[in-house]
Amino acid sequence: WVLTHVTLIPYCTFYSRFIASHRAYSLMNPLLFPKTYLIKTKHYQGVGKSTVATQIAQTLSSRNYSVGLLDVDICGPSIPRMAGVLHREVHQSQSGWEPVYANANLAVMSISFLLEEGDAAVVWRGPRKNGLIKQFLTETDWGVGGLDYLIVDTPPGTSDEHISIVQYLNDARSDGGDSSNIHNKSGASGAIVVTTPEEVSMSDVRKELNFCKKTKVPVLGIVENMSGLQIRVSDLKFFQDGADESSECTSRAMEMLKEKCPEVLSMMAAAEVFPPSGFGPKGMAEKFNVPYLGKLPLDPNLLKSCEEGVSFVDTYGSSPAASPLNDIVDKLIIALPVEDDEEEGEDVDMRP
């Protein structure tokens, strides 16, 4: 899971009968292997959940992991645009639905691919949405080689969709007789919780943490998203009075800096955007006894990478948020390591 307060992002997401081993094999042959490496995402609206989920998937795929990105936000699918696969179509075959590939290592599935018009509204009640989510989880053919990680981007809240997804995953693990981890009673490998630092966000995230506790979903950690703005001075705009275009004086300010103190232009400028509450997300992580994965600053290039549908860390590697994002992914890989079957002496093709 990825718990997110980002739209990555204070809450959790979920997947179901797709089971991943150290390498997850095709969804059409679920539960052949004991371990599931899944990242779920849930969120309080507006914290950047989909951004975080997409860029974690992009970063993992750029490191040569086989990744699935499943968008189960039925009424507001945004993953296709962020992954660079907008206006693509999925096809059905004898082995199930074939996902759309953003690159050789990143497969994407979303209701957006099934809509005739991209701006069409999906006006469905809970049972119909749950039925489609179950189809996504049980009938998507992720390929013969399977997946190393499946990341699921969910809608906000703790609604019946989230409860159903947890149940689907639990049933999948139970049906598969998975006893590989006696400490993890959930069908999901874990949830990443994403939040912004202000109290209005963290109050909802605490509910999500309690949701995970009640449903026995392990929390991989909390990501503090939008923790201040960081931008190079050379990328700033300057205004004489107010922020309207008529008072912009960027060119004059830059000329003055070049003349008087050019070294400032290469410095980073930082500003607090959301007022932190108490000890902030890090204090909340300590209170709930879950890992704190780190901070992601507001970074214009991170937004740009999602608009362009590209990997942020590959395209804007020197941008302020690139190093923190890489650190978060490093921690997730350590928490959910993918090991080759050959290394465990399990190089046996159990597929029918």
Side-chain angles (χ1 to χ4, degrees):
W1 299 36
V2 175
L3 284 179
T4 71
H5 201 187
V6 187
T7 160
L8 216 188
I9 282 193
Y11 306 11
C12 328
T13 57
F14 319 70
Y15 356 94
S16 179
R17 289 185 66 88
F18 172 84
I19 291 301
S21 158
H22 301 308
R23 286 188 172 273
Y25 282 84
S26 173
L27 179 62
M28 301 309 295
N29 299 315
L31 308 174
L32 290 178
F33 298 91
K35 293 186 178 179
T36 305
Y37 297 112
L38 305 176
I39 297 178
K40 299 183 173 189
T41 63
K42 255 179 155 188
H43 65 287
Y44 165 79
Q45 189 71 34
V47 297
K49 167 192 64 69
S50 296
T51 297
V52 175
T54 301
Q55 289 306 322
I56 285 179
Q58 291 272 23
T59 304
L60 286 168
S61 70
S62 69
R63 298 188 188 189
N64 209 33
Y65 289 105
S66 180
V67 182
L69 181 56
L70 179 57
D71 184 2
V72 296
D73 191 346
I74 305 300
C75 296
S78 56
I79 292 297
R81 175 178 295 279
M82 293 184 176
V85 290
L86 200 62
H87 306 309
R88 302 274 289 277
E89 295 181 356
V90 296
H91 302 281
Q92 280 191 303
S93 65
Q94 291 183 343
S95 58
W97 283 347
E98 298 179 2
V100 171
Y101 282 83
N103 60 56
N105 295 324
L106 179 56
V108 182
M109 176 59 80
S110 171
I111 190 176
S112 177
F113 301 138
L114 307 177
L115 302 177
E116 292 185 1
E117 297 181 6
D119 294 329
V122 179
V123 186
W124 288 0
R125 293 187 183 274
R128 191 172 182 186
K129 289 190 285 186
N130 289 343
L132 180 62
I133 291 171
K134 186 173 183 179
Q135 281 187 286
F136 279 160
L137 294 172
T138 60
E139 298 179 19
T140 301
D141 181 8
W142 299 103
V144 176
L147 300 175
D148 294 319
Y149 294 94
L150 177 62
I151 300 175
V152 180
D153 184 28
T154 63
T158 53
S159 60
D160 56 343
E161 293 113 306
H162 304 99
I163 297 171
S164 297
I165 295 173
V166 173
Q167 188 60 56
Y168 295 154
L169 287 175
N170 291 346
D171 291 345
R173 172 163 289 189
S174 176
D175 293 345
D178 182 7
S179 59
S180 61
N181 188 346
I182 60 175
H183 301 293
N184 183 3
K185 304 301 183 182
S186 169
S189 295
I192 300 172
V193 182
V194 182
T195 184
T196 47
E198 78 282 7
E199 175 58 26
V200 68
S201 174
M202 293 198 301
S203 63
D204 283 340
V205 173
R206 288 193 292 269
K207 296 179 178 66
E208 298 301 330
L209 291 171
N210 284 318
F211 176 88
C212 289
K213 183 177 181 180
K214 288 184 177 180
T215 55
K216 296 181 173 59
V217 174
V219 176
L220 300 175
I222 293 176
V223 173
E224 182 179 345
N225 195 38
M226 306 184 195
S227 74
L229 171 67
Q230 293 185 20
I231 187 171
R232 293 194 181 280
V233 173
S234 58
D235 294 329
L236 289 173
K237 285 189 175 182
F238 294 84
F239 297 87
Q240 188 71 40
D241 183 23
D244 59 280
E245 293 185 2
S246 62
S247 64
E248 184 178 349
C249 57
T250 302
S251 297
R252 183 159 59 90
M254 289 298 178
E255 288 300 323
M256 291 175 61
L257 287 172
K258 287 179 183 178
E259 180 182 352
K260 304 294 184 180
C261 46
E263 65 276 8
V264 172
L265 293 173
S266 60
M267 294 181 179
M268 297 296 300
E272 189 176 275
V273 178
F274 299 106
S277 175
F279 294 102
K282 187 173 184 179
M284 181 173 62
E286 293 175 355
K287 180 179 179 180
F288 281 84
N289 195 29
V290 298
Y292 177 73
L293 296 177
K295 299 180 178 181
L296 279 178
L298 277 169
D299 187 333
N301 287 329
L302 179 56
L303 171 62
K304 188 182 297 185
S305 66
C306 290
E307 290 290 320
E308 297 171 347
V310 298
S311 170
F312 169 63
V313 297
D314 289 340
T315 308
Y316 302 99
S318 61
S319 205
S323 180
L325 179 59
N326 269 318
D327 290 342
I328 289 170
V329 172
D330 289 341
K331 293 174 182 177
L332 293 177
I333 293 173
I334 292 173
L336 294 176
V338 174
E339 301 175 8
D340 291 333
D341 292 334
E342 291 85 347
E343 295 177 0
E344 297 190 346
E346 297 178 357
D347 189 17
V348 178
D349 189 352
M350 297 176 63
R351 289 166 289 169

